[in-house]
């Protein structure tokens, strides 16, 4: 498929009926006991339990997962005199831009935010009293400039010994997916985090990883499956439906990624281990790395903006002109050498849709996704258009869908 054919794909061709009763509102009590549908070599291999994963993965696999942690991104302020409730949803840091520095900020920081009930909040600051570690603190939100559907919000608080991370932990709420169609519950604070999450920054969980337990990871180790981490901070754009008739008119969201030098070297030196990505966020990160390398091979002095992988870049390069994967990834390591860095930190806007050529992964673990979503486009790209037979089977065999639902293991 050429780029015009890909851009003209109709999103209605990626629709399917999803009754509300098939959407899992809560996870199973034992998260590793969910159902698992295995697909390999263009056919469904059968139904399993997720705890069977270590035995289903190809021998010697390298399992790569996203270590991002969901933050308490939703803050609720009330206007004075029992006025309207204003919901502020933190999307990504603005000042300082670095996630770690933003969470470590004391006294003030600014974030790009969605604002619920924005028409009722003009220019007056909003305040909220709170208690953190026995200290009485006043948190203030100042509404700034508008950027598309979001706003810059400056937060200040009157205690320089308290970090913004502590503020969010004290009064923020976990932002569960809107498709669950329910309010956040106390159990979501644990249920909506992977057991290996430890890098704060996401406003949505990489949900394929929710099924893993510490015991299951230990079983992977015992069976010789290598485990590796990367970071992609999931943005609210992951919930954004494709509203255009064709995918060419849909603008993908941009997300922060961080990949260690050690993972890059493991991928470069890997000659036999199948690379299995846990979740679409890991897929997007790993496949973006190839095109970051391609960009650096073309221009070793490319700056941060030039290295951001735009959504259509993969479709503008002829297959005959593409370097091999190891050469592309080595270009990133050379870039780190020149900058004396241990990790590649950047962003990606990549869209993976039918016609995409995969260069890094050999398989993925993922959940069942929303109709007419970019995540379903990604799955379709990997299974060469067989997504409908997979989803028809799942619908006919009582699989549970979306973030807290069941999983698939997709292999080439």
């Amino acid at each position: 498929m050429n780029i015009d054919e890909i851009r003209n794909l109709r999103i209605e061709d990626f629709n399917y009926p999803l009754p509300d009763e098939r959407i899992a509102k809560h996870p199973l009590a034992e998260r590793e006991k969910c159902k698992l549908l295995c697909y390999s070599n263009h056919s469904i291999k059968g139904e399993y339990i997720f705890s069977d994963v270590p035995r289903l993965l190809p021998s010697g696999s390298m399992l790569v997962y996203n270590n991002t942690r969901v933050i308490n991104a939703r803050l609720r302020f009330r206007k004075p005199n029992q006025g309207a409730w204003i919901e502020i949803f933190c999307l990504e840091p603005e000042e300082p831009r670095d996630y770690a520095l933003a969470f470590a900020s004391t006294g003030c920081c600014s974030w790009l935010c969605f604002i619920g009930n924005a028409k009722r909040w003009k220019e007056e600051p909003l305040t909220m009293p709170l208690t953190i570690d026995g200290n009485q603190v006043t948190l203030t939100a100042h509404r700034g400039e508008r950027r598309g559907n979001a706003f810059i919000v400056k937060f200040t608080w009157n205690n320089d010994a308290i970090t913004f991370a502590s503020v969010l932990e004290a009064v923020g709420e976990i932002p569960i997916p809107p498709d669950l169609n329910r309010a956040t519950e106390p159990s979501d604070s644990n249920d909506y985090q992977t057991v290996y999450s430890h890098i704060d920054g996401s406003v949505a969980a990489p949900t394929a990883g929710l099924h893993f337990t510490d015991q299951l990871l230990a079983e992977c180790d015992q069976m010789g499956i290598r485990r590796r981490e990367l970071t992609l901070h999931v943005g609210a754009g992951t919930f954004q439906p494709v509203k255009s008739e064709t995918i060419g008119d849909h603008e993908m969201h941009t997300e922060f990624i961080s990949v260690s030098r050690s993972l890059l070297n493991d991928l470069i030196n890997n000659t036999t281990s199948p690379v299995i990505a846990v979740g679409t966020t890991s897929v997007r990160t790993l496949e973006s790395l190839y095109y970051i390398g391609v960009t650096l091979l073309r221009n070793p002095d490319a700056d941060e903006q030039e290295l951001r992988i735009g959504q259509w870049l993969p479709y503008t390069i002829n297959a005959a002109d593409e370097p091999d994967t190891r050469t592309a990834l080595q270009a990133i390591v050379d870039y780190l050498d020149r900058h004396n860095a241990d990790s590649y930190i950047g962003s990606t806007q990549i869209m993976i849709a039918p016609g995409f050529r995969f260069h890094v992964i050999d398989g993925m673990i993922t959940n069942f996704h929303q109709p007419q979503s970019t995540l379903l486009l990604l799955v379709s790209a990997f299974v060469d258009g067989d997504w409908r037979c997979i989803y028809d089977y799942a619908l006919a065999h009582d699989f549970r869908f979306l973030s807290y639902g069941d999983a698939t293991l997709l292999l080439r």
Side-chain angles (χ1 to χ4, degrees):
M1 298 174 68
N2 61 41
I3 187 170
D4 291 331
E5 292 174 313
I6 294 167
R7 291 176 65 98
N8 286 324
L9 288 171
R10 299 184 309 165
I11 195 61
E12 67 181 37
D13 292 335
F14 298 87
N15 196 11
Y16 69 91
L18 179 59
D20 185 69
E21 61 267 21
R22 301 305 296 276
I23 299 173
K25 306 295 184 180
H26 298 87
L28 298 181
E30 297 179 271
R31 57 174 72 189
E32 78 280 12
K33 297 300 184 183
C34 75
K35 296 173 72 172
L36 177 71
L37 183 61
C38 184
Y39 169 96
S40 178
N41 294 323
H42 303 286
S43 65
I44 293 172
K45 300 304 180 183
E47 295 181 33
Y48 300 88
I49 301 301
F50 194 84
S51 56
D52 293 325
V53 159
R55 289 164 289 283
L56 293 172
L57 291 177
S59 177
S61 290
M62 181 190 300
L63 195 67
V64 184
Y65 49 74
N66 185 1
N67 61 19
T68 189
R69 184 170 179 80
V70 184
I71 63 172
N72 293 355
R74 182 176 283 121
L75 300 167
R76 301 180 191 274
F77 287 79
R78 192 162 194 180
K79 297 184 68 175
N81 302 317
Q82 301 298 303
W85 285 98
I86 308 296
E87 180 179 293
I88 300 177
F89 191 125
C90 297
L91 298 175
E92 60 185 55
E94 176 68 17
E95 179 58 40
R97 294 277 293 177
D98 181 89
Y99 278 85
L101 293 178
F103 290 124
S105 293
T106 56
C108 70
C109 61
S110 297
W111 283 66
L112 182 68
C113 303
F114 285 147
I115 298 177
N117 212 6
K119 292 182 179 179
R120 303 293 299 274
W121 184 21
K122 303 305 180 183
E123 296 183 358
E124 73 280 11
L126 301 176
T127 61
M128 179 196 307
L130 55 145
T131 302
I132 301 176
D133 296 331
N135 298 303
Q136 301 302 308
V137 180
T138 299
L139 175 66
T140 304
H142 312 261
R143 175 171 157 174
E145 66 177 278
R146 182 169 191 149
R147 290 191 185 171
N149 295 325
F151 297 82
I152 300 298
V153 176
K154 181 179 181 180
F155 297 100
T156 60
W157 55 101
N158 59 344
N159 189 324
D160 289 340
I162 290 173
T163 65
F164 191 60
S166 297
V167 170
L168 292 180
E169 188 66 25
V171 296
E173 296 178 11
I174 285 281
I176 62 171
D179 50 53
L180 295 185
N181 195 29
R182 65 169 175 81
T184 300
E185 299 173 6
S187 60
D188 291 311
S189 295
N190 179 67
D191 291 342
Y192 201 54
Q193 301 281 10
T194 62
V195 295
Y196 45 71
S197 64
H198 61 94
I199 305 295
D200 286 341
S202 280
V203 299
T207 53
L210 295 179
H211 311 294
F212 281 98
T213 62
D214 290 328
Q215 180 180 347
L216 193 53
L217 293 174
E219 289 182 30
C220 288
D221 295 341
Q222 293 166 8
M223 297 195 68
I225 296 167
R226 291 186 290 164
R227 296 189 284 121
R228 299 293 184 266
E229 299 182 358
L230 51 74
T231 304
L232 180 145
H233 288 324
V234 189
T238 193
F239 300 127
Q240 183 180 346
V242 180
K243 296 181 179 179
S244 55
E245 291 186 7
T246 62
I247 69 171
D249 292 325
H250 177 77
E251 183 176 0
M252 284 292 292
H253 51 290
T254 300
E255 292 170 311
F256 167 96
I257 63 173
S258 176
V259 179
S260 67
R261 177 192 292 267
S262 63
L263 174 55
L264 287 164
N265 284 328
D266 283 345
L267 293 170
I268 291 168
N269 296 326
N270 178 40
T271 57
T272 59
S273 298
V275 177
I276 311 299
V278 179
T280 56
T281 61
S282 297
V283 174
R284 282 166 48 78
T285 305
L286 290 169
E287 294 299 327
S288 292
L289 290 177
Y290 175 81
Y291 289 99
I292 292 166
V294 169
T295 303
L296 285 167
L297 288 171
R298 292 174 167 181
N299 178 14
D301 298 321
D303 61 23
E304 179 180 345
Q305 183 61 31
E306 293 168 318
L307 288 173
R308 190 188 79 176
I309 303 306
Q311 67 186 76
W312 301 115
L313 174 63
Y315 309 99
T316 63
I317 303 172
N318 293 325
D321 298 329
E322 291 182 332
D324 65 81
T325 302
R326 295 178 70 182
T327 299
L329 297 181
Q330 183 62 50
I332 305 177
V333 173
D334 295 342
Y335 172 85
L336 296 181
D337 288 341
R338 293 194 298 273
H339 291 80
N340 193 29
D342 290 327
S343 295
Y344 177 81
I345 297 174
S347 61
T348 183
Q349 193 187 14
I350 196 171
M351 172 179 271
I352 299 179
F356 183 87
R357 295 185 294 275
F358 289 86
H359 292 88
V360 181
I361 71 165
D362 302 291
M364 75 173 82
I365 296 170
T366 189
N367 287 6
F368 294 94
H369 302 293
Q370 280 275 15
Q372 300 188 112
S373 64
T374 58
L375 303 181
L376 187 54
L377 290 172
L378 184 153
V379 169
S380 179
F382 188 76
V383 299
D384 296 325
D386 278 353
W387 73 270
R388 194 172 292 280
C389 78
I390 296 170
Y391 277 60
D392 284 348
Y393 183 97
L395 286 166
H397 291 79
D398 297 322
F399 279 73
R400 301 158 72 244
F401 280 62
L402 306 187
S403 297
Y404 279 148
D406 296 319
T408 61
L409 170 61
L410 308 177
L411 301 171
R412 287 258 170 120

